[in-house]
Amino acid sequence: MASLNVGNLGEYLREQRRSAQLSLRQLAEAAGVSNPYLSQIERGLRKPSAEVLQQVAKALRISAETLYVRAGILDEREREELETRAVILADPSINERQKQVLLQIYDSFRKENGLDTEPKGADHISGDGTPLEL
C-alpha cells in the first residue's frame, strides 16, 4: 500500500464538499463520522481508513476509488480498471455468464498488452468500491 497523501486528500475533500454545498457538519452527519474527525481529515491531520473514505464518497456522491487514489491506497491505473470491471458487472442488460466472458476477454487483452490481469488493489476493493480486508 502506498503512503497516504492526506494533505492532498483533505484539500480535495474540502473542494468536493463545497461543490456539493454541504457544511462540514452536514457531510459528517451524512457520512456517519464525527464532525471533528472530518475536520481533521480535511486539514490533513488524520489518515482515514478505506471504510471512512467510502462513507464520505457515498455522502458526496463521488467515486470511492477517486478518494482511494487521492489517499494513496490505489493508483490511477488500478482505479480505471476497477471502474471498468464495476461497469461490466453492474450492466443489467447482460447475464452473469456474459459478464464473466466479457471480463475474461478484457483480461486477455490486458495481458496481451503487457498489463497485469489482476489489479494490485483488487484484493482490497470489490467491484462496487467497497473495501474488503484492509
Side-chain angles (χ1 to χ4, degrees), residues 18-106:
R18 289 179 177 162
S19 293
Q21 298 181 338
L22 293 172
S23 69
L24 191 64
R25 188 173 308 279
Q26 289 171 319
L27 178 57
E29 185 176 315
V33 298
S34 75
N35 189 40
Y37 183 63
L38 186 58
S39 174
Q40 290 173 346
I41 293 169
E42 280 194 2
R43 290 181 289 143
L45 303 175
R46 290 286 182 157
K47 298 177 182 179
S49 69
E51 183 179 334
V52 168
L53 290 174
Q54 182 185 6
Q55 290 170 240
V56 171
K58 189 174 185 179
L60 288 171
R61 295 185 178 156
I62 61 174
S63 162
E65 288 85 1
T66 299
L67 293 185
Y68 298 154
V69 169
R70 292 280 179 165
I73 296 172
L74 190 66
D75 75 23
E76 186 68 22
R77 183 177 281 166
E78 291 170 334
R79 180 187 67 82
E80 290 169 357
E81 181 184 350
L82 288 172
E83 287 180 349
T84 300
R85 290 176 181 279
V87 167
I88 292 169
L89 292 170
D91 188 336
S93 68
I94 57 177
N95 65 41
E96 289 305 311
R97 184 189 62 75
Q98 292 167 329
K99 290 175 186 181
Q100 292 309 310
V101 169
L102 190 52
L103 287 173
Q104 288 171 353
I105 293 168
Y106 176 67

Side-chain angles (χ1 to χ4, degrees), residues 9-19 42-43:
L9 172 66
E11 293 168 15
Y12 180 75
L13 282 176
R14 186 177 300 114
E15 287 173 19
Q16 293 302 308
R17 177 177 58 78
R18 289 179 177 162
S19 293
E42 280 194 2
R43 290 181 289 143

